[in-house]
Amino acid sequence: MRLGRLAVALAALLALAGCGGESGTAEPVATTEVSMAKSYRFDPETIEVAAGATVTWTNDDNFTHTVRVEGQEDHEVERGSSVSIGFGDPGTYEYVCTLHSKDMRGTVIVR
Ligand SMILES: [Cu+2]
């Protein structure tokens, strides 16, 4: 009985972990293009680029968003517009939309 319950709990945990790609911490995607997708999302949330790459964020949502990489200035991106930011040095850069910082966060991993 107890073991059965444990197995069910474990299965539920594994199922939750399996859903990680759709929301929350995602596996890095090798791309320099990030969409500000409907609604209030960066897609993909975590990207991986080569040192010296320029990353472009395009606002495909119906609301104005921003991109602010930690330690850098804030870039406002109106719907239909985009912003490009260069990443020279390897490292992990967290960024946020300062208008919706609770929902819209992402990461650029520079190799
Ligand atoms: Cu936003």
Side-chain angles (χ1 to χ4, degrees), residues 36 40 42 63-66 97-101 104:
M36 293 149 134
Y40 305 103
F42 288 116
F63 313 96
T64 298
H65 296 298
T66 80
C97 164
T98 55
L99 300 175
H100 312 106
S101 57
M104 297 182 68

Side-chain angles (χ1 to χ4, degrees), residues 9-26:
L10 264 175
L13 265 177
L14 286 172
L16 270 177
C19 288
E22 289 171 27
S23 66
T25 21

